[in-house]
Amino acid sequence: QTCALPISVEHIEAVYHSRGKTIGLATGIHDLDRSTGGFLGGQMIIVAARPACGKSAMGMQFALHAVKECQVPTLVFSVEMPGRELMTRAICSEAGINLQRIRDGFFNERQLANVAQIAGTLIKSKLFIDETPGLTVAQFRARARRAKASHKIGLIVVDYLQFMSGSSGAAKQSRALEVSEISKAIKTTAKELDIPIIALAQLNRDADGDHTKPKLSNLRESGSIEQDADTVLLIHRLDKNKKRAADEEEAPPDHNTLLILAKQRNGPTPEIKLNFVGEHTRFENVTEKQYSNNPNQRQK
C-alpha cells in the first residue's frame, strides 16, 4: 500500500496536468488511445481475430508506432511467421507499396528508393525481432528479461500466443492448461518488467457468422486468456462479411473494420471504426483527431 498509493496519486495528477494527451504508450489509433489513455506498464493486451483478418498487421503497426513516434524500444516475438516476412510487410506498410508488387517486382525506382529510406530508418530504430521457432514460456521470460536489461525495452509484441508452448509437465497433458500457463506467464512478465505486452490470439470458428460480431467467449482454447488480460481488442472485418458487403445500402460508407474493445479493466468498451488497407497491410483512422475541444465529442 505504501508504494502503490503515491504511484496512483502521481498517475492521477499526471493525467490532470496533461488533459487531452495520452499518458500511456500511444498506439496511433486515435479512438483507441482516447478510450484507454494508452497502454500502461504491467498490462497484458490481447488482440484477437480470425485468420487473415489483420492480427499481425495490427500488432506490427503498434510496434512501429512505438519505435518511430514514441521512441520506445520494442521487442517482437514472431513465433508464427519468419522475421523476413514480418519486416517485408512493415516496409510495404510504411512505404505505401502494394504488397503484391513486392512479390512480382512491378514497382518503380521512386518506390525502390522509398523502400531503402524506410529500411534505413528501421535499422536505426530500436526494433528487435526474435523469431525463435517453438518458443517456450521459459525462453520467452528469459529473453524478455534480457531485452529489458540490455535495451530498456518498453513494449513487447507476441505473434501469436497460441503458437507458444508451455514448459510444465501438466500443461503438456492438456491444451487448455498449456494455454493457461502461457497466458499467465505473459501477464506476470508484464508486471515484473513493468511494460505493456501485446499478445495476438486467434478466435474460434463461432466468430465467423455472417452478422455475428466476435465476443470474449470466442477466444480459442482457454478462458484464462480472457481472465488474465487487462484489455481485449477484437478485430471484426466487415468487408469479409459477404452478405453485408453485397448489400450496398447496409455497407458502411466510411469504414470496413470494427475494433471492438471487448474488455478494459478501468474504462469504457466502445467499438472503434477503422479502415483496413489490405494492399498495404495497414489500419487507418476514420477519426481525424485524437481529442476534441468540444465536450460533446469527448470519451464518456
Side-chain angles (χ1 to χ4, degrees):
Q1 179 182 354
T2 55
C3 293
L5 183 58
I7 293 174
S8 298
V9 173
E10 285 177 11
H11 175 75
I12 294 169
E13 288 178 345
V15 171
Y16 172 77
H17 289 297
S18 60
R19 60 178 67 178
K21 297 180 181 178
T22 302
I23 291 296
L25 181 63
T27 65
I29 296 178
H30 301 330
D31 288 340
L32 178 60
D33 290 335
R34 185 171 63 176
S35 297
T36 63
F39 298 147
L40 301 174
Q43 288 186 339
M44 171 181 170
I45 301 100
I46 295 293
V47 178
R50 290 292 294 150
C53 282
K55 297 188 301 294
S56 296
M58 181 164 286
M60 201 60 191
Q61 189 168 327
F62 288 161
L64 290 172
H65 190 271
V67 295
K68 290 184 62 184
E69 304 300 329
C70 306
Q71 286 76 52
V72 172
T74 299
L75 173 61
V76 177
F77 286 95
S78 184
V79 190
E80 180 187 17
M81 68 176 70
R84 178 190 68 254
E85 184 177 341
L86 199 66
M87 291 310 299
T88 299
R89 286 187 177 195
I91 291 170
C92 289
S93 176
E94 293 294 303
I97 298 177
N98 190 319
L99 193 59
Q100 181 58 31
R101 300 289 75 83
I102 297 297
R103 297 188 182 98
D104 58 30
F106 288 103
F107 53 94
N108 57 44
E109 290 187 6
R110 181 183 58 81
Q111 290 174 317
L112 184 60
N114 199 14
V115 166
Q117 182 181 357
I118 295 295
T121 302
L122 290 176
I123 288 172
K124 294 177 183 177
S125 70
K126 293 186 177 181
L127 176 65
F128 305 94
I129 307 292
D130 186 312
E131 49 182 329
T132 304
L135 185 71
T136 67
V137 166
Q139 289 174 326
F140 165 75
R141 291 178 65 89
R143 289 168 189 240
R145 289 193 193 104
R146 193 180 306 125
K148 174 71 172 179
S150 303
H151 305 292
K152 297 182 180 179
I153 292 295
L155 173 68
I156 291 176
V157 179
V158 180
D159 184 13
Y160 65 93
L161 183 150
Q162 283 110 335
F163 258 71
M164 292 174 63
S165 57
S167 301
S168 68
K172 299 293 184 183
Q173 300 174 8
S174 166
R175 181 57 181 164
L177 288 175
E178 186 174 29
V179 172
S180 178
E181 180 190 349
I182 295 165
S183 175
K184 284 177 171 54
I186 292 174
K187 175 58 182 174
T188 55
T189 304
K191 289 189 68 177
E192 176 189 338
L193 302 182
D194 192 28
I195 61 174
I197 297 182
I198 300 170
L200 313 186
Q202 192 161 303
L203 298 175
N204 58 36
R205 291 180 180 176
D206 293 340
D208 276 339
D210 287 324
H211 294 282
T212 304
K213 293 179 182 178
K215 48 187 181 292
L216 284 174
S217 59
N218 293 135
L219 281 167
R220 188 174 168 184
E221 294 174 320
S222 178
S224 63
I225 300 175
E226 173 187 343
Q227 295 168 11
D228 296 335
D230 298 279
T231 301
V232 178
L233 303 171
L234 306 178
I235 301 172
H236 181 43
R237 291 277 300 280
L238 301 175
D239 54 343
K240 285 185 173 289
N241 186 323
K242 296 181 181 178
K243 288 186 178 180
R244 185 164 185 171
D247 189 339
E248 295 182 359
E249 293 182 358
E250 291 187 13
D254 62 343
H255 66 289
N256 61 21
T257 303
L258 284 178
L259 182 61
I260 302 170
L261 218 174
K263 178 185 178 182
Q264 185 180 189
R265 290 195 191 278
N266 301 309
T269 54
E271 294 180 354
I272 297 166
K273 296 178 181 179
L274 295 172
N275 270 319
F276 181 68
V277 184
E279 59 267 29
H280 300 156
T281 61
R282 183 174 185 82
F283 291 90
E284 295 183 347
N285 287 292
V286 171
T287 305
E288 291 185 5
K289 295 182 179 180
Q290 182 176 353
Y291 290 96
S292 172
N293 290 324
N294 185 343
N296 296 324
Q297 296 179 11
R298 292 178 190 158
Q299 182 64 50
K300 304 293 184 186

